[in-house]
Amino acid sequence: MLKVLSSTRALLLSSLLLGSSCITPSVFAAGSGAYHSNSSTSAEKFYNQGVTLMMDKKFSKAEKKFRSAIKKDSKLAEAHNNLAYTLRKQGTKNYEAALTHYNKAIYLDQKLPEPYMYRGVLYVQMGNKQRALEDHQTLLDMKSPLAAELEYVVKNGREKTPEQFFGVSNKL
């Protein structure tokens, strides 16, 4: 009953907001009642292009798309997560920047498990197993299946091969 009321309220809210020229109903996640501004729609376009490039392991090109998405919507946690992933995949010189973006993704959405997973992987790569174990515990507390994947990395000191893309955020 509460979910139906929430959905009804979301539809009423969205219909009221649609009268404003700056709001469009680009994406309604199931049960979320979310709406996005025109800049978010543009951010999602860049973000989704970045996901495609990242899955094709074109990390440098994907990085540019994720940066463009963040310029349009700096609060898009998934874009920070995937930007961090693409930076990490481009080598050790990018580890600090990757860590910054994993932290930003977590700050923006503490319930998003993916940045905890790959921040933990990054900590292992940086030689900080204790911090990786803290992220592992967070994933366990969240009851996320990504906990098992991070546990593998902590135990083995490396990611699974071939690349599995366990902790990246999918298209919006």
Side-chain angles (χ1 to χ4, degrees), residues 15-79:
S15 65
L16 290 171
L17 292 172
L18 289 175
S20 168
S21 63
C22 68
I23 304 295
T24 60
S26 61
V27 176
F28 282 87
S32 73
Y35 65 90
H36 300 279
S37 69
N38 289 332
S39 63
S40 291
T41 302
S42 179
E44 289 172 11
K45 177 184 163 198
F46 285 121
Y47 170 82
N48 288 335
Q49 291 170 348
V51 170
T52 299
L53 291 164
M54 179 179 64
M55 294 299 189
D56 289 339
K57 299 182 182 180
K58 297 176 180 174
F59 300 122
S60 179
K61 289 180 180 181
E63 173 192 347
K64 290 176 180 134
K65 294 296 183 179
F66 293 131
R67 287 189 186 281
S68 293
I70 290 167
K71 281 182 184 173
K72 296 288 184 183
D73 184 353
S74 64
K75 295 181 180 180
L76 188 58
E78 294 86 353

Side-chain angles (χ1 to χ4, degrees), residues 87-145:
L87 288 167
R88 183 174 65 82
K89 287 298 187 174
Q90 292 178 72
T92 58
K93 68 185 182 301
N94 296 309
Y95 281 3
E96 288 300 324
L99 182 58
T100 297
H101 285 283
Y102 284 131
N103 290 338
K104 181 72 172 188
I106 290 167
Y107 172 78
L108 292 169
D109 188 351
Q110 295 86 21
K111 294 180 181 178
L112 188 67
E114 291 87 356
Y116 292 103
M117 157 64 181
Y118 274 132
R119 184 177 71 175
V121 172
L122 178 60
Y123 282 140
V124 168
Q125 291 175 322
M126 294 173 82
N128 195 338
K129 187 175 179 180
Q130 184 56 43
R131 295 297 299 266
L133 289 170
E134 291 170 14
D135 281 341
H136 178 255
Q137 185 58 53
T138 300
L139 290 168
L140 288 172
D141 294 345
M142 296 171 93
K143 298 180 180 11
S144 172

